[in-house]
Amino acid sequence: MADRLERLRFHLKSLPSAPEIPGVVSVSARVTDLLDITTAVSARIRHCMSDLGAGSSAKAALTAYSSTLAPLGEALTELGRMHAEVAYHNFVIHPRHRDDQPALDLHRQQVTETVSGCFEAADEILEVTAIELRNAATKLAPSPSRLRPAAPARALPAVTPGPASLPPTPPSAAPGTAKSR
C-alpha cells in the first residue's frame, strides 16, 4: 500500500507545475488512483474484521489500516479541490474571459496558487501516510523467531578429488570448430 502511495506521489509530481495549470484528465486520473488506494485500504479493513478472532495481529492490522483512512480522506479532499479549480478554470473562466486577457491572467494566477497549495498538502499527507504504513508493516511483520522453521537443508553430495596428477582442464572449443585467421 505504501508503494502505491509513493507511485501516486510520483505521478502527482509529474503534473505540470506553476505557472502551467495541469489538465483535467491528468488530475482526474490521480483522483482515481487515490480512490483505488482508499478502496483497497477499506477492503483490507473488512478482511481484518473477519480475522478478529485470530488474535492480536488482526487487531493491530485493523488499527493500522483504520488510522490511514482519515489522512487518505484529507488527501482526497485536496485532490478534489485541485480538480474543481482546474475544471472551473478550463470550462467556465477561460471560455468566459477568452477576450479579456487581464481577467484571464488574474484568474490563472489564483488557480495556480490554489493548485500548488493543494498539491503540496496532498503530497505531504501522502508522504506521511506512506511512512506510517511502512512503520506499521514493520511492527506487524512476524519476528524471525516466530517464523516457521525452514525445512532442513539437504546435504550436498561429497565431492571426491580427482587424481592429483591430472591438472584441471581449461574449457576449449570443440575440435574442428576453431578458425584460424
Side-chain angles (χ1 to χ4, degrees):
M1 214 57 73
D3 289 340
R4 290 177 70 184
L5 289 174
E6 290 298 330
R7 277 192 302 276
L8 174 58
R9 289 183 65 223
F10 174 78
H11 287 297
L12 281 172
K13 289 176 182 178
S14 70
L15 293 175
S17 57
E20 195 173 336
I21 297 173
V24 176
V25 173
S26 299
V27 175
S28 183
R30 302 303 66 92
V31 169
T32 301
D33 292 344
L34 185 52
L35 283 171
D36 291 344
I37 292 168
T38 305
T39 301
V41 167
S42 183
R44 199 66 195 139
I45 290 170
R46 284 191 309 276
H47 177 74
C48 291
M49 291 293 292
S50 66
D51 287 347
L52 275 180
S56 64
S57 65
K59 290 177 186 174
L62 175 67
T63 302
Y65 282 112
S66 294
S67 68
T68 64
L69 283 178
L72 291 177
E74 291 172 14
L76 189 57
T77 297
E78 294 299 330
L79 292 184
R81 285 181 51 213
M82 181 189 300
H83 188 274
E85 284 292 321
V86 169
Y88 184 73
H89 175 76
N90 286 338
F91 299 112
V92 176
I93 296 299
H94 194 270
R96 185 183 301 160
H97 297 288
R98 189 169 295 170
D99 298 328
D100 186 3
Q101 194 61 42
L104 194 58
D105 289 344
L106 177 63
H107 192 267
R108 176 180 284 282
Q109 180 182 0
Q110 292 169 345
V111 170
T112 301
E113 289 172 5
T114 301
V115 166
S116 294
C118 291
F119 165 77
E120 289 171 12
D123 184 57
E124 183 178 322
I125 292 166
L126 294 173
E127 178 183 27
V128 169
T129 305
I131 290 168
E132 288 176 2
L133 279 171
R134 282 195 177 90
N135 289 341
T138 301
K139 288 177 187 174
L140 293 172
S143 66
S145 63
R146 292 189 330 201
L147 291 176
R148 185 171 56 106
R154 295 186 351 193
L156 294 175
V159 177
T160 56
S165 62
L166 295 176
T169 55
S172 61
T177 59
K179 295 183 181 179
S180 56
R181 294 187 182 195

